[in-house]
Amino acid sequence: MKPDQNRSLRFAKTQTRIRAAFDMADPVDPPVMVWPLHYIAWGTAPDRLPPDLFDKPEVMTEFQTRFCEEHLDTVDDDFQPYLTPYLGTGILAAGFGCRMHFAPGRDPSVAAPCVETPADVAKLKMPDPERDGLMPRVLEWAAYMRAHGTYPVALTDSQSPLDELILVCGHERLYLWMYDEPNLVHDLFAMATEAMIAWVKAQKKVTGAALDECRGEQGIWAPPGCGVWLADDEAVNLAPSLYEEFVAPYYPRIFRAFGTGILHFCGNGAHLAPILRRMDGLRAINTGPMGRPANFAALQRGLNGAVPLIYQEVSPRHPDRYFGELLRLIDLRGVFFAPQVCDLAATGDEGGPVDVVQDRHAAAVEILAALRRLIEAKKSAVAS
């Protein structure tokens, strides 16, 4: 059998496992992938990070392809490789007018908000993917990756309307306006929602992906019918009443434009579970408990089996201890395991990242072995 046929068989088995988890089937063989953070500068050893990574599409394509190939050759997990035209988390915010900051060795970021007063909101216009901010560069690089790359091309980092509006307005202003200027905030969310839909459609037109196809976000392949992914990390800062009023009404519009969608946040979102459980079009939640397995377990209980969960955070420094606690607290049904692994950071025993020095692919082998061993022990205990 040829190597490419081996990989095709491997990917087919992975997709079967992922579909079963999405369908909340019996957890006979839950998906386990150790995402090698293959497009993000953060956590990458300096000698592996090209100085012109964010300057040239050919350098980015080679960088991502190399990490994917090394992972596939070293780690026998459920990771499905893809390429991402990644220029930071603020692409939509830059389209609205925020200035981007590029620093050597770091991921691009938004330099400062571009909206300071309600009057500034009135001046905002819908971003044009062909003209505004970094959007044209993302589309150009997506086209390059499609033409010259080995793997499918995914969306660039997909921050949610909430996350992007935080970048556009700043935390304090947006949160205060929820109390003082609620109609203004609804106008902002309505505009950001339509901008997000248009931006995702523009990217899919270039990458060739179907509207209801998600080729990979945060390392995760999704089955057909699920076409978009939103990073909603700011959600954990909001009271349920604010999330229900200002955020939850808008995301179903995005999800339904692409079949269904996946929502990501890090931290403790258990207080939002009753709202998320009712959210139309939400296909799965990707969440990292930030070193607190109890956060993941509390969210699972709050969802009451209504939404599959993808466990994902920077892999723990002591995998047997950490994953042993996680698996003790949760039900395997509808759960994916997708820890992230990088060269210079891990999740510490007290929560939050700690500094390490490791080879991410060698570390991924250890993480994968620990997870699979503990999952089998959990399944055996349940069966008995």
Side-chain angles (χ1 to χ4, degrees):
M1 184 177 288
K2 296 179 181 179
D4 61 333
Q5 291 176 312
N6 280 323
R7 283 197 178 168
S8 295
L9 180 61
R10 170 178 172 171
F11 296 158
K13 289 181 177 178
T14 283
Q15 291 175 12
T16 297
R17 284 191 284 269
I18 291 176
R19 285 189 180 96
F22 266 96
D23 292 339
M24 304 288 289
D26 289 336
V28 175
D29 194 10
V32 182
M33 59 208 79
V34 188
W35 179 35
L37 283 177
H38 69 290
Y39 62 78
I40 295 173
W42 180 85
T44 302
D47 61 342
R48 289 184 168 187
L49 198 62
D52 51 356
L53 176 62
F54 299 111
D55 298 327
K56 300 175 182 177
E58 62 270 24
V59 173
M60 181 172 286
T61 301
E62 191 280 331
F63 174 79
Q64 295 184 17
T65 301
R66 175 165 50 88
F67 272 117
C68 288
E69 285 294 321
E70 289 175 359
H71 186 87
L72 291 173
D73 289 342
T74 307
V75 187
D76 186 19
D77 68 347
D78 290 319
F79 173 64
Q80 301 238 338
Y82 61 93
L83 300 175
T84 297
Y86 172 72
L87 291 169
T89 60
I91 302 302
L92 200 62
F96 276 115
C98 288
R99 182 173 58 86
M100 295 293 292
H101 177 64
F102 288 79
R106 300 185 66 179
D107 297 294
S109 60
V110 169
C114 60
V115 166
E116 297 183 357
T117 69
D120 292 334
V121 174
K123 300 174 186 176
L124 289 176
K125 62 181 181 65
M126 286 286 289
D128 181 348
E130 303 290 337
R131 298 172 58 89
D132 292 328
L134 293 175
M135 289 176 161
R137 193 194 301 188
V138 170
L139 295 179
E140 177 188 344
W141 288 26
Y144 180 91
M145 288 175 163
R146 184 181 182 187
H148 301 282
T150 306
Y151 302 122
V153 183
L155 302 172
T156 194
D157 187 278
S158 299
Q159 296 294 309
S160 68
L162 173 61
D163 283 13
E164 295 288 358
L165 289 174
I166 289 290
L167 296 174
V168 169
C169 302
H171 286 85
E172 183 177 354
R173 275 187 288 270
L174 189 66
Y175 291 156
L176 287 176
W177 286 346
M178 287 180 178
Y179 294 97
D180 300 334
E181 302 280 354
N183 291 335
L184 180 77
V185 174
H186 278 293
D187 289 344
L188 282 167
F189 270 94
M191 178 181 286
T193 296
E194 295 308 312
M196 174 61 70
I197 292 170
W199 175 223
V200 172
K201 286 182 176 179
Q203 292 177 76
K204 286 176 178 279
K205 185 176 180 181
V206 173
T207 65
L211 289 181
D212 67 348
E213 179 182 13
C214 191
R215 291 176 167 175
E217 297 296 336
Q218 294 275 89
I220 310 299
W221 173 88
C226 180
V228 71
W229 170 93
L230 298 176
D232 202 39
D233 284 303
E234 295 293 339
V236 298
N237 295 325
L238 290 182
S241 59
L242 294 177
Y243 194 82
E244 186 161 34
E245 179 178 356
F246 294 106
V247 181
Y250 297 95
Y251 291 2
R253 169 88 176 93
I254 300 173
F255 294 152
R256 287 306 185 195
F258 304 102
T260 60
I262 300 171
L263 196 67
H264 163 83
F265 52 80
C266 292
N268 187 1
H271 62 297
L272 302 177
I275 302 167
L276 298 172
R277 167 169 94 217
R278 301 191 304 268
M279 187 176 283
D280 189 37
L282 177 61
R283 191 69 183 86
I285 295 173
N286 176 318
T287 183
M290 299 293 285
R292 300 282 188 268
N295 292 345
F296 191 91
L299 177 62
Q300 186 183 58
R301 289 194 302 271
L303 293 170
N304 197 29
V307 185
L309 279 176
I310 302 166
Y311 159 82
Q312 184 164 80
E313 65 186 329
V314 178
S315 56
R317 188 172 188 176
H318 298 112
D320 282 275
R321 181 189 311 166
Y322 186 87
F323 290 135
E325 176 67 6
L326 175 69
L327 287 164
R328 183 182 70 81
L329 295 172
I330 66 171
D331 183 351
L332 290 177
R333 190 182 303 277
V335 174
F336 310 51
F337 296 92
Q340 307 160 341
V341 63
C342 60
D343 303 320
L344 303 178
T347 294
D349 295 336
E350 303 302 319
V354 295
D355 295 336
V356 297
V357 177
Q358 62 186 11
D359 177 273
R360 70 181 67 189
H361 304 301
V365 172
E366 179 186 1
I367 295 294
L368 179 65
L371 253 177
R372 284 188 169 153
R373 182 173 61 253
L374 290 164
I375 288 170
E376 287 306 312
K378 167 93 173 182
K379 287 160 57 178
S380 297
V382 171
S384 63

